[in-house]
């Protein structure tokens, strides 16, 4: 048998060297960036897009350019809590006041508490909270965890397929490698039919991050507890903490985070140059609205 000899100048490179080379290729391929696009395309950001596309420079570039177009149109960094607060009145999605064992921000989703019908507004609310979870990540941590509680969920208040598809599309395509794990806690049997449809929207990487947890399945319970301190975990997820959503207190916290976000994206300077000055807001406290005990 005859084998073609490889003439690649990259033969023998370590994985680390290969990835650094591809990172530099992607960075160079984007050309000059400015404004928010430049701020968004940090080194860590480019590496997340490369990871999501198995370190293919061409696929990563296409994905990133689509995200930049989406961000230019959707403007997620400009969304403010007062625009989506009505969506949060029942606490159907909110950022928890605890992190997982790795310091990740935690979003709690309770689809059984759906209170609105506009899918566009629901997506705007979700994007706001994804951005907020990222805003509150500790230094060195880039991912969040989702806890999904199915209490009150039924076929009558089921999430529309379009809503599920839009959620998956936004998370996978515009926030790559931001989700570390999503725990679906004790979903009812009727959820199986819904899941059979939704799972086809997930790419293999995202699919591997979805974990089903059932109280009577010790392996699944132990897996979730490997991510969370049981004393922080709410009783709704088999933990010891009592977690009650206080919409007014959460809204106050989000207002403070909006100020922090404006400073991060330089919008506070823009407001000052336009002659608008907001009221001073005290520094954000460590914990978030819903107190656990």
């Amino acid at each position: 048998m005859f084998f073609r000899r490889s003439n690649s100048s990259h033969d023998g490179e370590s994985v680390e060297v290969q990835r650094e080379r591809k990172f530099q290729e992607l960075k160079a391929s984007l050309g000059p960036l400015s404004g928010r696009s430049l701020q968004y395309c940090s080194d860590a950001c480019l590496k997340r897009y490369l990871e999501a596309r198995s370190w293919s420079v061409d696929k990563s570039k296409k994905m990133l350019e689509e995200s930049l177009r989406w961000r230019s149109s959707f403007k997620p960094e400009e969304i403010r809590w007062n625009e989506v607060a009505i969506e949060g009145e029942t606490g159907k999605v909110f950022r928890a006041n605890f992190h997982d064992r790795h310091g990740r921000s935690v979003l709690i989703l309770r689809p059984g508490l759906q209170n609105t019908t506009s899918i566009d507004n629901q997506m705007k609310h979700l994007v706001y909270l994804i951005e907020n979870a990222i805003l509150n990540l500790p230094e060195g941590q880039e991912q969040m965890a989702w806890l999904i509680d199915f209490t009150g969920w039924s076929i009558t208040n089921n999430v529309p397929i379009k809503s599920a598809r839009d959620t998956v599309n936004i998370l996978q395509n515009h926030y790559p490698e931001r989700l570390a794990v999503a725990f679906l806690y004790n979903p009812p049997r009727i959820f199986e039919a819904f899941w059979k449809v939704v799972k086809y929207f997930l790419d293999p990487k995202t699919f591997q991050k979805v974990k089903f947890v059932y109280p009577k399945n010790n392996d699944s319970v132990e897996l979730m507890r490997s991510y969370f301190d049981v004393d922080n975990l709410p009783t709704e997820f088999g933990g010891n903490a009592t977690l009650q959503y206080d919409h007014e207190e959460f809204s106050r916290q989000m207002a403070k985070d909006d100020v922090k976000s404006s400073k991060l994206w330089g919008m506070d300077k823009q407001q000052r140059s336009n002659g608008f000055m907001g009221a001073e807001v005290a520094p954000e406290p460590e914990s978030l609205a819903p107190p656990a005990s």
Side-chain angles (χ1 to χ4, degrees), residues 26 50 53 55-63 65:
L26 176 59
L50 283 163
R53 289 297 179 261
W55 292 82
S56 165
V57 175
D58 289 342
K59 292 179 180 179
S60 301
K61 180 185 178 184
K62 179 182 178 182
M63 183 187 195
E65 288 175 339

Side-chain angles (χ1 to χ4, degrees), residues 123-184:
M123 291 302 104
K124 190 174 183 179
H125 177 235
L126 178 64
V127 167
Y128 172 88
L129 288 170
I130 290 175
E131 291 279 329
N132 183 265
I134 294 169
L135 180 71
N136 285 279
L137 286 171
E139 187 176 353
Q141 179 55 260
E142 298 186 343
Q143 294 185 306
M144 68 186 118
W146 286 14
L147 290 173
I148 305 175
D149 171 24
F150 285 89
T151 301
W153 187 91
S154 68
I155 201 67
T156 57
N157 62 5
N158 189 8
V159 177
I161 293 297
K162 183 183 186 306
S163 178
R165 185 176 62 244
D166 289 352
T167 297
V168 170
N169 174 62
I170 288 171
L171 185 64
Q172 287 184 165
N173 296 331
H174 304 311
Y175 293 94
E177 296 303 309
R178 284 299 195 181
L179 180 68
V181 65
F183 286 105
L184 282 63

Side-chain angles (χ1 to χ4, degrees), residues 210-239:
V210 178
K211 310 295 181 184
F212 286 81
V213 181
Y214 298 95
K216 294 182 180 179
N217 184 308
N218 290 333
D219 288 343
S220 67
V221 170
E222 288 304 313
L223 176 63
M224 187 167 71
R225 291 185 176 181
S226 71
Y227 282 81
F228 295 96
D229 185 330
V230 70
D231 289 330
N232 290 334
L233 203 60
T235 54
E236 290 86 347
F237 297 97

Side-chain angles (χ1 to χ4, degrees), residues 64 66 77 85 108 138 148 168 170 178 207 222 239 257-258 262 278-279 282 286 288:
L64 180 53
E66 288 173 352
E77 71 279 1
I108 293 180
I148 305 175
V168 170
I170 288 171
R178 284 299 195 181
F207 184 81
E222 288 304 313
D257 279 359
D258 284 349
S262 290
E286 283 293 319
L288 252 182

